[in-house]
């Protein structure tokens, strides 16, 4: 079976990507399984640039086909923040997902509701430096003040999906892995699909 390296050290992302791509005949491996210690600095100006930068770094270190994603949460009232800086948003050293959510809420309290927000994901599949596929996915929702649900990661407990009346963390993986920004980006990655189905 063809093997693809996931260009992320985030176990939550690995689990999600594995579930989303379970229908494809590929084996996904984590950097840690190969003893790889790669942590590229995300200096890109877009999700695509950061995703490509991660894909290139992990490909260079492994020589393998690599799947990368870069994602973030854009809040309308904050002019699209935290966006590319979603992971580094909280000023607290060693901030947790919970800290990042609290910090985001603190920036919005007192502002008119609903607090419209969109998750973005840009996925890149890199087979070689010149054979690259990319795809972008989004999901719209609202940031809420209370934490609800225990599934997912990051901002999921405060990301409310109005059509479902629940947060992404309450909806859980069956819903998220069909409808999230990541699921939508991966669904559009035609190069990964065609390559995985090609005979060796
Ligand atoms: P990156 O793609 O690793 O740079 O992730 C950026 C940050 O965006 C993560 O650390 C999370 O805080 C947030 N994020 C990305 N994807 C998700 C998601 O699916 N749910 C909730 N938060 C997310």
């Amino acid at each position: 079976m063809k093997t693809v390296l996931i260009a992320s050290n985030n176990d939550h992302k690995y689990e999600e990507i594995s579930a989303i791509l379970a229908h494809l005949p590929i084996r996904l491996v984590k950097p840690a399984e190969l003893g790889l210690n790669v942590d590229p600095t995300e200096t890109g100006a877009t999700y695509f640039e950061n995703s490509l930068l991660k894909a290139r770094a992990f490909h260079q270190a492994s020589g393998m086909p690599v799947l990368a994603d870069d994602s973030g949460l854009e809040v309308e009232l904050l002019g699209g923040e935290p966006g590319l800086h979603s992971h580094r948003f909280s000023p607290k050293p060693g901030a947790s997902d919970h800290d990042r959510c609290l910090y985001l809420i603190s920036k919005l309290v007192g502002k008119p509701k609903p607090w419209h927000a969109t998750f973005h994901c840009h996925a890149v599949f890199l087979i070689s430096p010149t054979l690259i596929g990319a795809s972008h996915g989004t999901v719209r929702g609202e940031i809420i003040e209370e934490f609800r649900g225990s599934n997912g990661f990051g901002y999921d407990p405060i990301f409310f999906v109005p059509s479902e009346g629940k947060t992404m963390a309450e909806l859980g993986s069956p819903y998220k892995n069909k409808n999230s920004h990541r699921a939508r980006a991966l669904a559009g990655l035609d190069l990964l699909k065609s390559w995985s189905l090609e005979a060796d």
Side-chain angles (χ1 to χ4, degrees), residues 9 21 44 59 67 75 80 101 122 142 181 194 198:
N9 300 307
L21 299 178
H59 178 72
L67 179 58
V75 180
C101 290
H122 216 126
E142 291 165 17
H181 49 313
S194 55
E198 258 168 32

Side-chain angles (χ1 to χ4, degrees), residues 88-104:
R88 296 153 277 167
F89 189 45
S90 162
K92 189 172 166 178
S96 64
D97 280 348
H98 191 81
D99 295 324
R100 281 183 273 277
C101 290
L102 285 176
Y103 186 65
L104 178 59

Side-chain angles (χ1 to χ4, degrees), residues 8 10 13 16 42 47 50 54 69-73 83-88 97 100 119-121 152-157 159 168 176 180-182:
S8 171
N10 178 335
K13 271 196 189 178
E16 276 194 16
E42 298 182 15
Y47 299 108
N50 277 340
K54 290 187 243 186
D69 96 5
D70 195 60
S71 42
L73 177 66
L84 282 182
H85 309 111
S86 293
H87 189 65
R88 296 153 277 167
D97 280 348
R100 281 183 273 277
F119 269 126
H120 288 257
C121 174
F153 68 101
Y155 298 94
D156 285 341
F159 187 86
M168 209 49 118
K176 189 177 179 191
S180 74
H181 49 313
R182 187 162 297 106

